[in-house]
Amino acid sequence: MLLKIARTTALVALTACALNAADFNAQAEKDRLALIKYFEAKFENPLKNRSTFFPYSTDDELKNNIMSGLKFEDFSKGNYSFSKNGRMSYDEIKEFPPYEEFVENGEALYSKAFANGKSFKDCFPDPSVAGSAYPYFDEKKKEVMTLTVAINQCLTSNGEKAWNPKKGKIAHLEAYFVQEAQDAEKKIDVKIESKEAEEAYNRGKEYYYTQRGYLNLSCAECHVQGAGQRVRNESLSPFLGQVTHFPVYRLKWGAADANNDGLGTLERRMSGCVKDQGQVPPKYDAKEMKELLFFMAYMSNGMKIDGPDIRK
Ligand code: HEC
C-alpha cells in the first residue's frame, strides 16, 4: 500500500513537472492552432465565405484569381499560395531560380577561412541545423538569438567585421543554410521552455498586433485579416508561413541599384514593412526585432523549411 502511494505520488510529481514545462508554450500553442484554423477556413472557399473573410474583394478576384481548399503547408508560398495569376509566373521563375549562384557563393563563404584560420564551420558545424534551429531563446543570456545575429557574432568573435544584416554576403550564407535545411527536410521548430521565453514571445506578439504609423495599421491587419486582399498591385501574404523561405530574391530589390543583387534577409523584409507603416524599424539586433521574429517563427512551427525563394 505504502509503495503504491509512493509510486502514485512520484507519478503525480512527474506529471506536474511535465505540465509545468509544457505550460510555457500553452498560450503560444493556442495562438498557433487558432491561426492555422483561421487561414484554412478563410481559404476553404473564398467566394462562398466572402462576407466573413473577403468583404472588399471583387467577384472577378474571387472567381478567377483566389484559389480554394488551401491547407497548412500550402501557406509557405506567401501570396503565391492563393493567387492563381501570381503562381503561374512564380512556377516559371522557379524552373531556373535566380538565387542558385547565391547558394553556391554562400557555400564558399561557409568554408572560407577567417584571418585567424577558423571559419563559419566552427560556429555552425551543421549548416542545416543553422537554417532551422534559429531563432531560439538563449536560456543563459535570457534573450532571443536569431540566425543573422549569430552569424555576425561568429564574425566579430573571430576578429572579423560584422556584415550588413540585410543583403550581400549574409544573405548568401543564409541562402546556403536554408537550402541545406530544405534538403534535409527540416521544419520550423521554435521552443518556449521558460517564463522568460514566454515573455519574449508575448512582446513579439504585441508588436505584431499593435497599430502604428500614419495609417494606424498593425502587421496583423495586413497579414491576417488582410491576407488575400489586394493593396495596389500586391496581394497580401498570409502571416502563417511568412518565415519559412528566407532569404528571398525580389524582383523589386534586384532592380533597385546595380550594387544590389536582389537577395535579402527576413530582417530586411520586416524592416521594409515597418518603414511602409511610416515608422523607423528597430535594428536587426535590437530586442524588439529579435522578439518579433521569434513570435513570427513560432507561429509557423511545424512547417517545412522552403527556401530560398522568390518574391515580386
Ligand atoms: C499596409 C499593409 C502592410 C502592413 C501593415 C505590413 N505589411 Fe508586410 N507586406 C505587405 C505587402 C504589400 C507585402 C508584399 C506582398 C506580400 O508578400 O505580402 C508584405 C510582405 C511581408 C513579408 C514577406 C512575405 C513573404 O512571403 O515573402 C513579411 C515577412 C512581412 N510583410 C512582415 C510584416 C511585418 C512583421 C509587419 C509589421 C511590422 C508587416 N509586414 C506589416 C504589406 C503590409
Side-chain angles (χ1 to χ4, degrees):
M1 180 67 189
L2 245 184
L3 193 70
K4 203 173 167 199
I5 290 175
R7 253 204 228 133
T8 327
T9 327
L11 246 181
V12 168
L14 244 183
T15 333
C17 197
L19 268 181
N20 268 339
D23 250 348
F24 296 116
N25 76 343
Q27 184 57 46
E29 262 314 271
K30 265 193 209 155
D31 296 346
R32 188 181 74 85
L33 296 174
L35 194 75
I36 297 170
K37 206 171 153 195
Y38 173 85
F39 278 116
E40 289 190 341
K42 181 166 190 169
F43 288 93
E44 191 194 346
N45 190 338
L47 190 60
K48 190 172 143 222
N49 301 326
R50 128 182 276 157
S51 57
T52 320
F53 296 117
F54 293 92
Y56 307 111
S57 299
T58 61
D59 264 8
D60 178 49
E61 179 74 3
L62 291 175
K63 280 186 192 144
N64 303 318
N65 190 33
I66 309 278
M67 299 182 212
S68 51
L70 301 191
K71 292 278 174 228
F72 182 56
E73 282 291 356
D74 297 325
F75 292 102
S76 71
K77 302 239 174 296
N79 53 22
Y80 305 119
S81 20
F82 56 76
S83 159
K84 280 183 208 160
N85 300 336
R87 190 56 179 264
M88 262 162 36
S89 37
Y90 173 86
D91 289 340
E92 261 168 38
I93 300 177
K94 280 291 247 192
E95 279 181 33
F96 301 100
Y99 48 72
E100 263 175 0
E101 54 175 311
F102 306 136
V103 174
E104 279 166 30
N105 191 32
E107 184 170 7
L109 289 168
Y110 177 64
S111 16
K112 193 175 165 206
F114 301 139
N116 68 2
K118 294 199 170 169
S119 72
F120 282 113
K121 280 187 180 171
D122 295 287
C123 301
F124 307 99
D126 176 353
S128 82
V129 172
S132 58
Y134 289 81
Y136 69 89
F137 192 80
D138 184 330
E139 295 293 351
K140 279 196 204 113
K141 293 193 183 136
K142 300 289 175 211
E143 61 182 31
V144 171
M145 178 55 91
T146 62
L147 182 57
T148 304
V149 171
I151 290 172
N152 268 345
Q153 283 188 0
C154 178
L155 284 167
T156 52
S157 66
N158 281 292
E160 302 282 321
K161 268 204 199 128
W163 289 342
N164 178 336
K166 293 189 175 165
K167 58 186 177 183
K169 288 187 207 152
I170 219 159
H172 294 189
L173 183 62
E174 288 184 9
Y176 168 59
F177 282 165
V178 80
Q179 183 68 61
E180 286 290 301
Q182 185 186 157
D183 292 348
E185 300 185 357
K186 293 281 168 84
K187 292 182 175 177
I188 307 265
D189 184 19
V190 178
K191 295 184 181 73
I192 299 177
E193 293 171 326
S194 67
K195 186 92 196 100
E196 291 85 356
E198 187 186 0
E199 285 162 4
Y201 168 91
N202 283 336
R203 284 187 295 267
K205 176 175 162 186
E206 196 182 333
Y207 194 101
Y208 203 87
Y209 283 89
T210 301
Q211 295 173 313
R212 58 172 67 77
Y214 56 94
L215 295 172
N216 209 20
L217 283 171
S218 67
C219 312
E221 272 164 305
C222 280
H223 293 298
V224 180
Q225 296 94 308
Q229 325 267 4
R230 271 172 190 278
V231 172
R232 282 178 248 120
N233 65 344
E234 298 238 49
S235 320
L236 292 165
S237 57
F239 177 23
L240 187 62
Q242 253 184 354
V243 303
T244 54
H245 49 277
F246 279 83
V248 302
Y249 173 86
R250 282 188 76 196
L251 301 172
K252 188 181 156 192
W253 286 339
D257 66 83
N259 300 323
N260 205 342
D261 58 30
L263 196 71
T265 60
L266 177 56
E267 284 87 345
R268 182 180 183 186
R269 193 59 177 101
M270 289 161 69
S271 301
C273 272
V274 179
K275 274 190 211 149
D276 287 347
Q277 289 174 298
Q279 300 286 103
V280 178
K283 292 234 155 55
Y284 81 105
D285 56 354
K287 193 173 161 183
E288 283 144 299
M289 181 58 97
K290 292 188 293 180
E291 291 180 344
L292 174 61
L293 200 150
F294 184 65
F295 163 68
M296 291 171 67
Y298 190 94
M299 296 299 270
S300 290
N301 253 0
M303 296 182 87
K304 285 190 198 125
I305 310 272
D306 189 24
D309 211 348
I310 49 165
R311 291 291 183 266
K312 208 157 79 177

